[in-house]
Amino acid sequence: MAESKVALKRADKEKLVEVCREFNNKPGELINVLHRAQNIFGYLPAEVQEVIASELNVALAKVYGVVTFYSYFTMIPRGKYPISVCTGTACYVRGAEKVLDEFKRLLKLEVGETAADGVFSLNCLRCVGACGLAPVVLVGEKTYGRVSSDQVRKILEEYGYEG
Amino acid sequence: MDFVKLIIDNKQVEVPAGTTIYKAAHQLGIEIPVLCYMNLEHMNIENKPAGCRICVVEVEGRRNLAPSCSTDVVEGMVVRTNTMRVLNARRTVLEFILSDHPKDCLVCPKSGNCELQDLAVKMGVRKIHNEEISQMSSYRVDYSPSIIRDLDKCVMCRRCETMCNDVQTVGALHAVNRGFMSVVAPAFEMDLVKSTCTYCGQCVAVCPTGALAEVDNTPQLIRALSDTKKTVIVQTAPAVRAALGEEFGYPAGTSVTGKMVAALRRLGFDYVFDTDFAADLTIMEEGTELLGRLEKHLKGEPVKLPILTSCCPSWVNFFEQQYPDMLDIPSTARSPQQMFGAIAKTYFADKINVKREDLIVVSIMPCLAKKYECQREEFKTDGNPDVDYSISTRELAHLIKEANMDLRNMPDEDFDNPLGESTGAGVIFGTTGGVIEAAVRTAYEVFTKKKLEKVDFQQLRGMEGIRSASVDIDGFELKIGIAHGLGNARKLLEDIRAGKSEYHAIEIMACPGGCVGGGGQPLHHGHSEILQKRAAALYREDAEKPIRKSHDNPMIIELYEKFLGHPMSEKAHHLLHTHYVDKATVIKTIE
Ligand code: SF4
Ligand code: SF4
Ligand code: FES
Ligand code: FES
């Protein structure tokens, strides 16, 4: 036997196999399966992609190609408090970029990154449908509206930020 | 079928509905330049991502220019392919592509043979506007035993992706990342060596630029040739002689065997031998193995059938990766390249009294997988490989040019003896269907002990991806399957796995067309009819050979008498057979 290159908890693997089965193991359902998998694990590590590739009978390179093409998918685990800054048109026009820059500055993170201690991660989103509240920031499930850059520190402090 | 009339550059043409503007123009003799588009018509392979926009044309009544490679014709359409607007648009698109492309053409392995360079020449690009403000993407260079990926030169045509996924079903390469950062790469952007790549080289064969190229082994070879302490011998694969001429202006399908031998001799090889000799040897071993299994089968004993040929190293990589549960079905016979090496470094080395370490064996191959194959551990003795360097047909052409020689000025010369003697059966190894035809010629006579009157088996020839035929062997109906292209091979393998295969023997070659279409052959630039011409050249050479059956090769007979004993003898096993390794990766779980 050739060497195995990945390891995954048995229960996690079974969960994935189940998800693929729900989509009838159809190669054409790759994006939907990836969506579900990311909802379950919060991100799509190599191991997860490997299981999906073999269950759907799709080339692993293709799975990776899809994961890296859509900005929605990520291979980096999200932080305990994932921060998403909306950069849709309305939010952008009303200063989302400054807000985002402030998050970057305080957290010392780039978009798509997770802090080494795993507490915060930073991401951008396209319009979340709350344009009336622009600019909008999400921390986990919680929504903050009309955010200005000088409020960023206060928001972070709610989650234990002490920098 | 519905037909559509349209006008292209003031000429009327009628084509079936669903035809693209590009193809309709082609019918009128108007060649619209393309970059991403590729149509290997004779193999039913088309790449049509409509990504580059080099092929744009003007369509009356439409505001935007249309990509002709992917726009279907419409009744009454009026198309112009060479207006000022079209030409300017094409040049702008090309300049845009060039602004993110290295300018080291002079030292690029594809220089002189690059479709991007040709386009720049054709479109008269003299300056790349806005180059100062454009960004250059950069990516690491990836080396493997057979292929070099230099993705700074990738234009994202995705032709390689089509070959690797749709044709070969290997799936080692895919477009990854987006926008400016996109490249074609293996999963997780790992190196090709760690991927499922089989080194078939079909991606290299279609890459329009220098992004994908073969590993160049000519520098080591030149060093070996100039080392007076070494005896350097060379073997040439059957498909090389049918294609090398193209690099020197001969029409496709010209056999240049004699001139190739002369050129090799002038390059300084001490002996010029022929892989065809080893192909005859392969038939002796593989044919005997086939007969052995058939005899058991006829006696009702349990035995693995069908037997699969094993002379294609890319195919071997494929089943080691993807069908590890079926490693006992292929023949154990080594490829002709490796059989040659094993005999050269034992039998022949003894004969001329040269130590193994002082004998350098070089192979000229239509193939890139052979570069990997000759490095496999099982083909080494005390670290010394049976075949030292494997050079592609393209590299040989470069070498001849570098030595300031022209194939056209060469006389016709013969191979040296003893390892240069071959039969017509050995010659046709280079095309799809040829290996099994050669095997049948020998199996028939050995099995029936009667003389085979008609040596040509037309039913085994052709270019269809999967073929089946049966051959009457004195009342026994031998059922044969043939596949070329790994995607086609996969179909036959799935049948075997499902227990549905009715064949006794199956020939598989990884490259479409067989070795004539190998990844190391002169580039066909989309002219897929070239492969058929090369195959025809091999069948012609076979027909002209005085001896056409492997077991009648006098040097093969002598080799068995003096050295090996008989086919499948212990010595033959040791030198001419191999074993396969499970290379699949398994997904392990932790509790
Ligand atoms: S050499 Fe063949 S298997 Fe490897 S990446 Fe290229 S097309 Fe795919
Ligand atoms: S590597 Fe070559 S064939 Fe593949 S996408 Fe890039 S330019 Fe095209
Ligand atoms: S643009 Fe941000 S919520 Fe619509
Ligand atoms: S050749 Fe038509 S879009 Fe590239």
Side-chain angles (χ1 to χ4, degrees), chain B residues 440-499:
Chain B
V440 168
R441 289 180 191 173
T442 287
Y444 183 96
E445 293 202 348
V446 174
F447 186 73
T448 64
K449 307 200 170 51
K450 286 190 207 156
K451 189 166 158 51
L452 178 65
E453 294 304 336
K454 231 181 103 288
V455 225
D456 295 314
F457 289 87
Q458 294 298 343
Q459 69 265 50
L460 301 174
R461 303 184 181 179
M463 277 288 158
E464 236 157 283
I466 298 180
R467 308 194 292 285
S468 55
S470 51
V471 172
D472 175 30
I473 299 202
D474 214 14
F476 174 73
E477 191 195 357
L478 183 67
K479 294 197 185 116
I480 291 169
I482 298 167
H484 53 125
L486 291 171
N488 292 324
R490 184 186 289 282
K491 289 183 195 143
L492 295 187
L493 283 166
E494 289 298 333
D495 282 351
I496 300 176
R497 197 182 249 167

Side-chain angles (χ1 to χ4, degrees), chain B residues 329-345:
Chain B
I329 303 185
S331 158
T332 57
R334 294 183 190 180
S335 72
Q337 160 172 283
Q338 293 308 140
M339 285 203 182
F340 182 96
I343 294 297
K345 288 218 173 167

Side-chain angles (χ1 to χ4, degrees), chain A residues 86 88-91 127-131 136:
Chain A
C86 176
T89 314
C91 292
C127 181
V128 294
C131 304
V136 174

Side-chain angles (χ1 to χ4, degrees), chain B residues 122-421:
Chain B
K122 199 166 171 183
M123 296 189 189
V125 176
R126 287 292 168 271
K127 176 176 167 39
I128 295 159
H129 292 91
N130 297 328
E131 193 184 3
E132 335 56 77
I133 54 164
S134 62
Q135 253 183 309
M136 283 279 274
S137 54
S138 96
Y139 205 88
R140 71 177 197 284
V141 180
D142 173 22
Y143 299 89
S144 73
S146 300
I147 294 166
I148 301 180
R149 295 166 57 238
D150 181 0
L151 293 164
D152 290 353
K153 294 182 176 162
C154 173
V155 293
M156 279 310 280
C157 66
R158 302 175 75 167
R159 293 182 187 181
C160 54
E161 185 185 304
T162 295
M163 294 312 281
C164 194
N165 290 268
D166 303 347
V167 179
Q168 301 297 56
T169 65
V170 170
L173 292 177
H174 200 276
V176 304
N177 302 329
R178 47 191 301 163
F180 192 61
M181 293 308 295
S182 57
V183 286
V184 169
F188 315 125
E189 290 160 73
M190 60 183 154
D191 292 344
L192 209 56
V193 277
K194 296 197 186 122
S195 76
T196 50
C197 174
T198 66
Y199 302 127
C200 70
Q202 286 303 312
C203 52
V204 178
V206 299
C207 181
T209 72
L212 298 173
E214 67 275 12
V215 170
D216 183 359
N217 290 114
T218 55
Q220 291 124 294
L221 170 55
I222 293 171
R223 228 170 295 136
L225 283 171
S226 53
D227 184 343
T228 48
K229 288 191 290 297
K230 306 281 185 203
T231 302
V232 188
I233 70 173
V234 65
Q235 52 162 321
T236 62
V240 176
R241 68 206 65 192
L244 180 65
E246 292 163 30
E247 294 273 0
F248 295 89
Y250 286 97
T254 311
S255 244
V256 293
T257 317
K259 296 186 188 309
M260 171 184 75
V261 172
L264 288 167
R265 220 165 255 141
R266 278 153 190 72
L267 281 171
F269 288 99
D270 296 298
Y271 296 86
V272 181
F273 290 141
D274 200 355
T275 313
D276 293 17
F277 168 85
D280 282 335
L281 190 54
T282 303
I283 289 302
M284 299 304 290
E285 294 296 324
E286 205 168 72
T288 307
E289 204 182 342
L290 164 69
L291 286 178
R293 287 203 209 173
L294 274 183
E295 268 159 18
K296 277 195 184 160
H297 171 71
L298 290 176
K299 279 192 224 140
E301 290 171 29
V303 65
K304 288 277 181 192
L305 279 177
I307 185 170
L308 309 175
T309 57
S310 56
C311 37
C312 167
S314 164
W315 150 237
V316 169
N317 289 340
F318 183 74
F319 71 68
E320 287 185 323
Q321 290 258 13
Q322 318 238 355
Y323 293 87
D325 51 325
M326 287 159 58
L327 295 183
D328 53 348
I329 303 185
S331 158
T332 57
R334 294 183 190 180
S335 72
Q337 160 172 283
Q338 293 308 140
M339 285 203 182
F340 182 96
I343 294 297
K345 288 218 173 167
T346 53
Y347 175 71
F348 180 70
D350 285 350
K351 213 173 163 111
I352 59 167
N353 231 332
V354 170
K355 283 208 294 285
R356 181 183 177 96
E357 312 78 73
D358 292 330
L359 183 69
I360 304 281
V361 176
V362 177
S363 69
I364 314 291
M365 292 285 146
C367 175
L368 299 188
K370 299 262 168 39
K371 288 179 186 283
Y372 158 81
E373 185 189 36
C374 70
Q375 294 176 26
R376 286 182 75 130
E377 282 309 315
E378 56 273 37
F379 301 139
K380 291 180 183 166
T381 301
D382 302 328
N384 179 283
D386 289 344
V387 174
D388 294 83
Y389 310 116
S390 181
I391 307 285
S392 68
T393 312
R394 289 194 294 269
E395 287 166 270
L396 174 61
H398 287 159
L399 205 57
I400 295 174
K401 290 173 189 168
E402 225 177 286
N404 199 24
M405 301 193 295
D406 187 341
L407 205 65
R408 290 181 160 267
N409 300 333
M410 292 294 137
D412 284 311
E413 291 182 8
D414 281 332
F415 287 106
D416 290 311
N417 262 332
L419 310 184
E421 183 73 45

